Amino acid sequence: MPKIRHLAIKTKNPAKLAEFYAQVFDMKVVHSEKSGAVYMSDGYLTLAILRNRGEATPSGINHFGFQVDDLAEIEERLKKFDEPMTARPSTRPYAEHRAMDPDGNLFDISVHGYDDIEYAADREKKKATEKV
């Protein structure tokens, strides 16, 4: 089955965004170009951070998502950039939280991941049975 393995976002300052994704999500720079483009990876997905070529705001990515192991750690890292993490509505089956990078690109943050449909009520039931 095909899988998304690469995303590209445009920015006026690729180096600044690369530093953000390195510090918050431990992504590593795998390539950079004279144009200023920076390519990063988490070992599975490659993120291209490209220099915006013009003043017009093109249609682009609505959001993308990260699966994380430690939500509290990511929240602390986001605070260093003054970027708050907010809860997603309980009716969303995949990501539990959302935030944005310094350029306003939205991303979802999930502990349970994107493979299985799991609503907030399902997560609460799971927590309750784990405590018993």
Side-chain angles (χ1 to χ4, degrees), residues 17-33:
L17 277 190
E19 183 64 22
F20 172 82
Y21 287 108
Q23 286 190 31
V24 174
F25 293 107
D26 295 323
M27 294 188 81
K28 306 292 184 226
V29 173
V30 295
H31 180 68
S32 58
E33 295 180 348

Side-chain angles (χ1 to χ4, degrees), residues 7 25 42 45 63-67 95 106-110 114:
L7 293 172
F25 293 107
D42 62 4
L45 181 120
H63 72 276
F64 48 97
F66 286 94
Q67 183 174 346
L106 295 170
F107 53 84
D108 288 345
I109 305 168
S110 177
Y114 297 88

